[in-house]
Amino acid sequence: MGSRSSGETMFKILHAEFLAPGIKRFVIEAPRIARKQRPGQFVILRIYEEGERIPLTIEQSDPERGTINLVVQSLGKTTNLLNSLGSGDSILDVVGPLGKPSEIEKFGTVVVMGGGVGTAMAYPTAAALKRAGNRVLSIVGARSKELVILERELRAVSDALMITTDDGTYADKGFVTDKLRQLIDNGTRIDLVLAIGPIPMMRAVADMTRKEGIRTIVSLNPIMIDGTGMCGGCRVLVDGKSQFACVDGPEFDAHRIDFAVLVQRNGMYRTAEQKSMGDFQHDREALLEKIHAEQAAECALPGGGR
Amino acid sequence: MTQTANKSPNPLSLKERMKVPRQPMLEQPPLLRATNFKEVNLGYSEELARQEALRCLECAKPACVTDCPVGVKVKEFVELIVAGDFMAAAAKIREDNVLPAITGRVCPQEDHCEGGCLMGKKVQPLGIGYLERFVADYEQRHMDLRNVKKASPSGKKVAIVGSGPSGLTAAGDLVQKGHEVHVFEALHELGGVLVYGIPEFRLPKQIIREQIDYMRAMGVEFETNVVVGKTVTINELMEEEGYDAVFIGTGAGAPQFMGIPGEHLNGVYSANEFLTRINLMHAYEFPKYDEPMLDFRGKDVAVIGGGNTALDAIRSALRLGARKAYVLYRRSEAEMPARAEEVKHAKQEGIEFHMLTAPIEFLSEGNGWLSAARCIRMELGEPDASGRRRPVPVEGSEFDLPLAVAVIAIGTSANPLIQSTTPGLETNKRNYIQADPMTQRTSRRGVFAGGDIVTGSATVILAMGAGRRAAKSIHEYLSSGQW
C-alpha cells in the first residue's frame, strides 16, 4: 500500500455482462454494503486513483454472497471506463449504501415507470412494492428494441407490463407517458407513480400526473461528491428550498422538484466532461493498461485485494 | 540568572535572548506561490531553528504549555533543540501530540502557545509553531518506521469513527495503551478535514500520509469507505463486531448556506464542495485527474466568510487563475477568526479584503450562471452572543459586485447521520452530540464523542484536545469497566 493513505481493500468485480449495447451489469464483492442495502439506495464509486466519484443506484444485492449489482450505461468517461472493466478486475472505492431507501408500503395500485437504464433502478423497488401487496403496473421505455432491459425480471413482479420503444422496433412505438395517458384515460385508479429515467422523461411524467393529482416519486441523480451530506453539491430545489439528493433523497415528490434547476446544475461541467470523454476515446487502451497494472501491484502487496 | 537558566543548555543570558530577533520563516515569494499549489512555507533550516530556540526564556511556569489544548511540553522540546538533539525533541512532542507535522503547520499558535509567550509581551513571541514543524519534519526525514514501538495488547477493541484530527489523536493515544484500534473513514482517503478541507499549499497531503503511516506502524488499523450510520451502525459495531468502546469524531460536516435568492445558480459553491473538489479530488489537476472544475482564468471570484476555510477557498481560486479574488466578510478584520499568518499570506498574494460587506442576493443574466452578488454594507453594533460586535446592515448601501464564482464559507452545521441511527444518543438543540467536556462521554454507555460534532466548527488543535481527553477517559473505562 506504500504511502497511499486509503484503506486496504479493493472491490472485486465477480461477474460482468452486457444487458444491451452500452449497458452492463456488474456483480461486485461488497459485503458490508450488501448486508445493509434496501431498494432505492445507491453507492458512490471511484475506479482508480485519478478517478472521479460517481453515484450509481444499486440494482439489487445478495447479503449471503456479499455482493451488490450495478447496472451501468456508458455516458461519460467514468461510465465508459467502468464498462470496459470485467470479471476479475477491481474498483478502488465503493461506498454505501447511501440515500434513503424507497418508501415501501401498501399504496394500492402503483405504476412503476422505467426509462432506459432507469429500468434497472425501478426494478428492485417494483419487486418490493409487489411483495408489500401492491398491484404493480410497469411501463418500460427504451430508444429501440436492443435497449429494452430486464423485461423478464420486471414481468415477474408486475401485474401488467407495458413496453414502448421510441422507434417502434419492439412492442409499441411511442413514449412511456403515452402508456400512462392511456391508463389514466381508461379510468385506472392509480395511487402512486414511481418514475426513474432521464430527466425529460421524469419531468414529462410529473407534468402529466400533477394535473391528475396522482402522487409521483422520482429518483434524482445530480452531480455528487461525498454522498454523505457534507458538500452540498447535489442540492436540488424542492418547493423552492435546497435539499441534498444524497441524504434527503435520492427519491423526491416529483411535483415539488424544480426540474429546470436540476438540468441547469447537471450541465455545470459539460465542457470539462466533453474534454474527458474525448481524451478517453483517444487514450482508452493506455488507461486500461495503467489501471490493470496498478491493480496487479495492489494485489501483490500483503493485505491488498480481498 | 535563575536556576533554570543555569541548568539549561542555552549559553545566552536572558538579556541576550531578548535581543535575538524572531527568525523569519522561509516562504515562496507571493507572486510565484499565487500560481501554484505548492506549500507556502518552506520550513526552518537547522541553523534557523537553533537560533530561534535560543530565544526561549525558559519560564518557570510556561504559559505555552498550559495554553496548548494537548499540553505539548514546549519548554522541554525547545531546550532539546538548543542542545541539538532534534530526535529527542520530536519524541518529547509525541508524548502529547501524535500529529506534530500537522499542528506545526495549521495551529493558530497566536491563540495558544505563542499567545501566552512572555517574549511576545516585550518583543515577538517564540516561533513555537515553526519549531514544532521543524522538529516534526526532521523526524520524518531521519526515522525508521520499523523502530516504532508497539504496546502490549490489552485485549480491548476500540472503534474510532472518522479519521480527522480528533479521531487520529484518540487512535494514537489509545493504541499506545495497547488497545486494538480500528478507524473507520467515510471517504476514500484518510485524514478527514485535513485532506478534504485544507489545501496542499498549507498542508501537503504527503505530510498527512506520513503521519498516518506512523500510526499504522504503531498498530492502528484503518478502513475507508465506511459511512457509520449507513454502512454499519454504532450498535452493530458494539453488538456484532465486538468493539468495547466507540469514539465519534465525525466533524460537523454539513455546509451552511445563506438562504438568500440565487444560491442554486451555477457558480455558487459551498466551501465544503469547492475545497473537496480541489483537495480530495485534485480538480486543480484536471485533466490528469477526472474530477472537473470550472475554468477560473480571467474570472472574478468571491468567498463569503472570514475563517480559515474562507481564506483556503479564495487562495485556491487565485491559484486556479482568478482575475480578482475577494473576501467578503460582514464584520471587520479584527473579528476575522482566520489564523493571523493566513491573513498576512492572503494579502501578500493579492486577495482583496472587503470588510463589513455581505451578499443579500446572487444574480444571473438569465442563463442559470452567476453574474454578480448584490451586497450590502454593514456597520458594527453592540456585541452579540459570540462577544463580537454584531454587524448591522446600512440602509440604502446596496451595490452589485460582478462575479463568476461565489464560495460560501460561513460555517457548518451538524451532520445528523450518526445521531439519527444511534438510539439513546443525546443531542443538543442544534443536533450536535452531547458529550461531557472533560470525559467526552455521551449518554450511551461505551460511546464517546469529541471535536466539531460536539462543539460545532472549531480548530484542528481543539479537536485534537478532545480526542486526547476521550482517549484518556476511554482507557479509564476499559480498565475499570465503570461507566
Side-chain angles (χ1 to χ4, degrees):
Chain A
M1 199 65 32
S3 63
R4 209 187 102 206
S5 64
S6 72
E8 304 291 326
T9 49
M10 292 200 294
F11 296 81
K12 207 163 187 182
I13 299 170
L14 299 183
H15 183 74
E17 57 175 334
F18 277 103
L19 300 179
I23 300 178
K24 200 167 187 176
R25 179 198 270 142
F26 293 89
V27 180
I28 298 165
E29 191 173 54
R32 280 193 185 276
I33 304 171
R35 237 179 352 247
K36 300 287 280 194
Q37 184 262 343
R38 285 159 64 197
Q41 291 188 297
F42 64 94
V43 292
I44 284 187
L45 61 77
R46 188 177 72 131
I47 300 171
Y48 68 121
E49 195 59 43
E50 289 84 17
E52 61 178 345
R53 292 168 64 100
I54 62 160
L56 290 167
T57 305
I58 303 165
E59 184 215 12
Q60 55 182 319
S61 56
D62 184 337
E64 267 88 65
R65 283 182 69 203
T67 57
I68 59 169
N69 291 5
L70 301 177
V71 177
V72 182
Q73 181 169 31
S74 304
L75 290 171
K77 172 176 176 178
T78 302
T79 46
N80 271 286
L81 175 61
L82 188 53
N83 282 354
S84 306
L85 301 182
S87 166
D89 289 332
S90 291
I91 298 168
L92 193 52
D93 301 291
V94 182
V95 62
L98 301 170
K100 289 184 178 161
S102 307
E103 198 186 330
I104 304 293
E105 54 180 88
K106 190 166 175 182
F107 297 101
T109 298
V110 183
V111 175
V112 176
M113 306 175 71
V117 74
T119 307
M121 284 92 230
Y123 162 66
T125 305
L129 286 166
K130 181 66 189 166
R131 282 195 298 274
N134 292 284
R135 180 170 171 240
V136 174
L137 309 177
S138 297
I139 308 175
V140 166
R143 282 203 313 277
S144 60
K145 182 180 178 180
E146 71 271 17
L147 294 172
V148 175
I149 57 169
L150 302 181
E151 181 183 350
R152 188 172 44 85
E153 288 91 335
L154 205 50
R155 194 178 298 282
V157 300
S158 305
D159 293 273
L161 173 67
M162 290 147 271
I163 298 174
T164 63
T165 47
D166 297 3
D167 60 5
T169 46
Y170 185 61
D172 294 342
K173 180 173 163 57
F175 299 111
V176 285
T177 39
D178 300 336
K179 290 289 171 191
L180 180 63
R181 182 82 261 162
Q182 282 173 20
L183 285 176
I184 293 168
D185 290 348
N186 291 344
T188 312
R189 183 200 150 96
I190 302 172
D191 298 290
L192 181 75
V193 171
L194 171 75
I196 306 180
I199 295 173
M201 168 233 167
M202 294 192 287
R203 190 180 200 169
V205 170
D207 287 343
M208 186 176 285
T209 56
R210 184 181 292 112
K211 289 186 204 112
E212 309 293 335
I214 302 169
R215 189 172 164 222
T216 301
I217 303 292
V218 289
S219 179
L220 304 185
N221 194 16
I223 295 171
M224 273 183 203
I225 304 179
D226 64 292
T228 65
M230 188 268 280
C231 87
C234 67
R235 61 191 186 276
V236 289
L237 271 188
V238 182
D239 281 342
K241 293 207 176 90
S242 274
Q243 290 208 14
F244 295 171
C246 66
V247 287
D248 301 321
E251 296 186 358
F252 290 97
D253 182 334
H255 299 153
R256 298 166 61 202
I257 292 290
D258 188 328
F259 282 101
V261 165
L262 182 65
V263 172
Q264 164 215 310
R265 288 187 58 82
N266 272 358
M268 194 153 159
Y269 298 102
R270 189 146 299 142
T271 315
E273 287 162 0
Q274 282 164 355
K275 171 165 177 51
S276 283
M277 189 58 202
D279 291 354
F280 172 71
Q281 280 163 337
H282 194 257
D283 303 327
R284 187 171 173 277
E285 294 313 316
L287 180 59
L288 278 170
E289 204 168 298
K290 171 180 133 72
I291 289 171
H292 284 135
E294 279 172 5
Q295 291 186 352
E298 196 95 352
C299 290
L301 284 168
R306 262 175 191 258
Chain B
M1 182 133 309
T2 64
Q3 247 192 333
T4 323
N6 282 337
K7 277 198 301 185
S8 134
N10 196 327
L12 302 184
S13 71
L14 294 183
K15 220 172 185 178
E16 287 168 332
R17 296 180 202 183
M18 299 288 287
K19 287 192 186 135
V20 179
R22 180 170 158 125
Q23 302 302 303
M25 168 58 69
L26 299 173
E27 53 189 47
Q28 278 197 73
L31 292 181
L32 173 65
R33 71 187 188 233
T35 63
N36 68 53
F37 274 83
K38 291 184 199 138
E39 193 171 14
V40 170
N41 286 346
L42 303 172
Y44 273 165
S45 61
E46 287 186 27
E47 291 68 31
L48 282 177
R50 292 180 80 156
Q51 190 70 7
E52 180 64 22
L54 285 174
R55 298 177 66 232
C56 181
L57 297 176
E58 298 167 290
C59 305
K61 288 181 185 163
C64 49
V65 180
T66 45
D67 287 354
C68 173
V70 295
V72 168
K73 299 176 196 87
V74 176
K75 188 170 98 172
E76 295 177 41
F77 96 72
V78 173
E79 273 184 9
L80 287 163
I81 297 177
V82 172
D85 193 346
F86 305 136
M87 290 306 271
K92 186 54 71 182
I93 299 175
R94 281 199 177 273
E95 288 175 13
D96 304 288
N97 176 357
V98 294
L99 306 170
I102 293 170
T103 50
R105 287 172 164 84
V106 304
C107 240
Q109 284 90 7
E110 66 269 25
D111 297 336
H112 301 292
C113 53
E114 295 183 22
C117 177
L118 197 57
M119 283 290 267
K121 310 267 188 279
K122 309 274 185 193
V123 279
Q124 280 190 299
L126 183 66
I128 299 168
Y130 295 165
L131 290 173
E132 181 178 51
R133 174 196 156 132
F134 165 76
V135 165
D137 289 355
Y138 182 91
E139 179 197 39
Q140 180 59 40
R141 285 195 303 274
H142 293 87
M143 76 176 166
D144 185 340
L145 282 180
R146 285 169 300 189
N147 299 335
V148 175
K149 285 193 206 97
K150 284 190 188 182
S152 57
S154 69
K156 302 283 185 185
K157 272 174 78 176
V158 185
I160 306 282
V161 184
S163 65
S166 73
L168 290 179
T169 302
D173 282 2
L174 285 164
V175 83
Q176 291 182 65
K177 299 282 187 196
H179 305 303
E180 187 182 327
V181 179
H182 198 105
V183 180
F184 295 96
E185 168 56 47
L187 293 171
H188 59 255
E189 189 153 342
L190 297 166
V193 72
L194 304 170
V195 160
Y196 74 74
I198 303 181
E200 185 77 14
F201 58 80
R202 212 148 70 78
L203 179 61
K205 304 285 167 293
Q206 182 59 24
I207 301 288
I208 304 163
R209 288 191 195 113
E210 288 163 0
Q211 303 285 303
I212 284 167
D213 282 345
Y214 193 99
M215 304 195 71
R216 279 209 177 95
M218 289 196 290
V220 178
E221 286 172 35
F222 293 95
E223 188 172 349
T224 50
N225 297 315
V226 176
V227 182
V228 173
K230 284 285 183 191
T231 314
V232 66
T233 62
I234 301 278
N235 281 6
E236 286 162 349
L237 287 175
M238 300 186 83
E239 288 156 21
E240 294 169 22
E241 300 197 20
Y243 289 97
D244 301 293
V246 176
F247 173 73
I248 305 170
T250 49
Q256 276 184 12
F257 287 92
M258 305 183 74
I260 63 176
E263 274 182 325
H264 58 275
L265 290 170
N266 289 1
V268 179
Y269 287 95
S270 75
N272 276 7
E273 182 191 353
F274 184 71
L275 288 171
T276 301
R277 275 184 183 278
I278 291 172
N279 301 330
L280 177 73
M281 304 308 300
H282 295 258
Y284 67 96
E285 295 185 75
F286 179 87
K288 185 186 164 205
Y289 282 76
D290 291 338
E291 194 74 42
M293 183 45 89
L294 299 177
D295 187 350
F296 276 57
R297 288 170 296 179
K299 307 261 176 71
D300 295 347
V301 182
V303 69
I304 295 105
N308 287 320
T309 304
L311 294 189
D312 285 345
I314 199 65
R315 293 171 73 197
S316 298
L318 188 72
R319 284 157 171 76
L320 287 167
R323 183 177 60 179
K324 293 269 191 186
Y326 310 107
V327 174
L328 310 182
Y329 183 51
R330 63 195 182 124
R331 304 180 199 252
S332 72
E333 198 173 321
E335 286 83 22
M336 276 183 68
R339 241 177 131 234
E341 188 178 36
E342 309 313 327
V343 176
K344 183 186 89 180
H345 281 162
K347 285 184 175 169
Q348 289 171 345
E349 289 164 12
I351 306 285
E352 291 182 31
F353 284 64
H354 291 253
M355 298 295 100
L356 294 164
T357 303
I360 50 174
E361 184 176 358
F362 293 113
L363 306 171
S364 167
E365 285 164 355
N367 55 3
W369 286 84
L370 177 70
S371 63
R374 179 152 298 160
C375 300
I376 191 162
R377 302 276 186 213
M378 313 293 262
E379 56 190 9
L380 293 180
E382 294 301 307
D384 64 12
S386 73
R388 296 176 297 179
R389 293 177 66 192
R390 181 193 303 276
V392 183
V394 177
E395 226 174 283
S397 67
E398 291 89 345
F399 67 100
D400 291 350
L401 181 68
L403 290 177
V405 173
V407 182
I408 301 169
I410 57 167
T412 54
S413 53
N415 189 321
L417 267 182
I418 289 191
Q419 297 86 313
S420 62
T421 53
T422 312
L425 186 68
E426 280 173 22
T427 56
N428 68 16
K429 268 185 227 150
R430 295 187 302 149
N431 209 20
Y432 290 103
I433 296 174
Q434 295 266 29
D436 182 288
M438 292 313 294
T439 64
Q440 307 299 136
R441 288 184 181 200
T442 68
S443 56
R444 277 283 305 268
R445 186 186 172 94
V447 179
F448 302 74
D452 284 6
I453 194 60
V454 170
T455 58
S457 316
T459 59
V460 167
I461 190 65
L462 289 174
M464 289 175 61
R468 193 124 221 256
R469 289 191 298 278
K472 183 167 175 281
S473 149
I474 290 169
H475 179 62
E476 281 164 12
Y477 167 66
L478 294 178
S479 309
S480 69
Q482 302 289 314
W483 185 250

